[in-house]
Amino acid sequence: MATQRVAVIDYGMGNLHSVESALQHAGPCDVVVTDDPAIVAAADRVVFPGVGAIGDCMAEIKRLGFDRLISEVVTSGKPLLGICVGMQAMMEGSEESGGTQCLGLFEGVVQRFPGGVDEQGHTLKIPHMGWNTVQQSMPHPLWHGIEDNTRFYFVHSYCVTPTRSEVQAGVCEYGLPFAAAIARDNIFATQFHPEKSHVAGLQLLTNFLNWNGSC
């Protein structure tokens, strides 16, 4: 069997070395971090990460033509994994940066956490940073070998609320319920960082390397 070719899209936003390293630990694969559309198009599967302000991210995505490229990846049927701001960028728009138009791959918006206190009276600091429990809300190949209510690592100030609940693959709670993962066809995206989530995160990445892009 030929080695999997995995392209990690580089548009200047995120610690891509940690994603690359985690994928290499997850299973046999040839990982390349690249801003070359031809390399992304030739890959067997694609990872779309991101951290930072969505306005800056979307500006670079559009400047480099990755908005069109990501749409082509979706149409091709090859597995696509979004991580953190990569997931947020897949929505219609975000409140961040005064309102930012995103890729529109999923219906729904990205909103800032309201903060406040939880049911126990603990202050909900923003950003939401650290480990939190993810409840799986649909069966999916990327959940293989991962128990429901497993904890994953998050760092974000904004959260996703999909318009259609059926695309919500995982749910988390931080003052309000929000989408920890979304999925449709050959797309799976996580608000949490699998590359920072130890055993469960590596299992999810292993599942991604084994996934044929079908739910």
Side-chain angles (χ1 to χ4, degrees):
M1 182 177 176
T3 301
Q4 294 281 338
R5 294 172 297 168
V6 185
V8 179
I9 296 178
D10 180 9
Y11 54 99
M13 301 287 176
N15 181 7
L16 305 185
H17 173 71
S18 62
V19 176
E20 177 186 20
S21 177
L23 283 164
Q24 290 170 339
H25 279 86
C29 61
D30 179 15
V31 185
V32 58
V33 177
T34 183
D35 63 358
D36 186 336
I39 294 176
V40 175
D44 298 306
R45 52 198 67 235
V46 177
V47 178
F48 177 37
V51 298
I54 190 69
D56 294 338
C57 290
M58 287 306 306
E60 285 302 290
I61 288 167
K62 292 178 179 179
R63 183 182 70 82
L64 294 166
F66 282 138
D67 51 344
R68 296 186 299 275
L69 180 62
I70 291 167
S71 293
E72 291 169 5
V73 170
V74 173
T75 302
S76 75
K78 69 180 63 177
L80 172 63
L81 175 64
I83 299 175
C84 197
V85 173
M87 169 175 155
Q88 295 181 8
M90 293 180 176
M91 307 308 293
E92 292 176 297
S94 173
E95 292 181 346
E96 190 177 3
S97 305
T100 301
Q101 182 179 1
C102 298
L103 297 174
L105 299 178
F106 291 86
E107 295 179 18
V109 296
V110 184
Q111 300 171 305
R112 184 172 173 83
F113 278 115
V117 296
D118 63 15
E119 294 179 353
Q120 289 73 43
H122 300 136
T123 300
L124 296 170
K125 297 180 180 179
I126 301 174
H128 169 220
M129 180 182 298
W131 297 87
N132 207 339
T133 300
V134 174
Q135 180 182 1
Q136 298 170 20
S137 45
M138 71 161 69
H140 194 281
L142 264 69
W143 292 134
H144 174 73
I146 301 172
E147 292 187 5
D148 195 12
N149 296 312
T150 291
R151 291 164 67 83
F152 289 89
Y153 190 82
F154 293 82
V155 184
H156 60 128
S157 299
Y158 290 76
C159 60
V160 168
T161 305
T163 300
R164 299 180 180 274
S165 61
E166 60 265 29
V167 305
Q168 201 158 249
V171 182
C172 193
E173 182 92 22
Y174 192 69
L176 76 171
F178 67 91
I182 54 176
R184 189 191 68 237
D185 302 327
N186 58 317
I187 309 171
F188 193 94
T190 67
Q191 181 63 73
F192 56 82
H193 288 268
E195 77 280 10
K196 297 179 180 179
S197 296
H198 301 331
V199 174
L202 284 178
Q203 180 64 53
L204 189 142
L205 293 176
T206 297
N207 294 341
F208 174 67
L209 294 177
N210 294 328
W211 183 37
N212 64 7
S214 173
C215 290

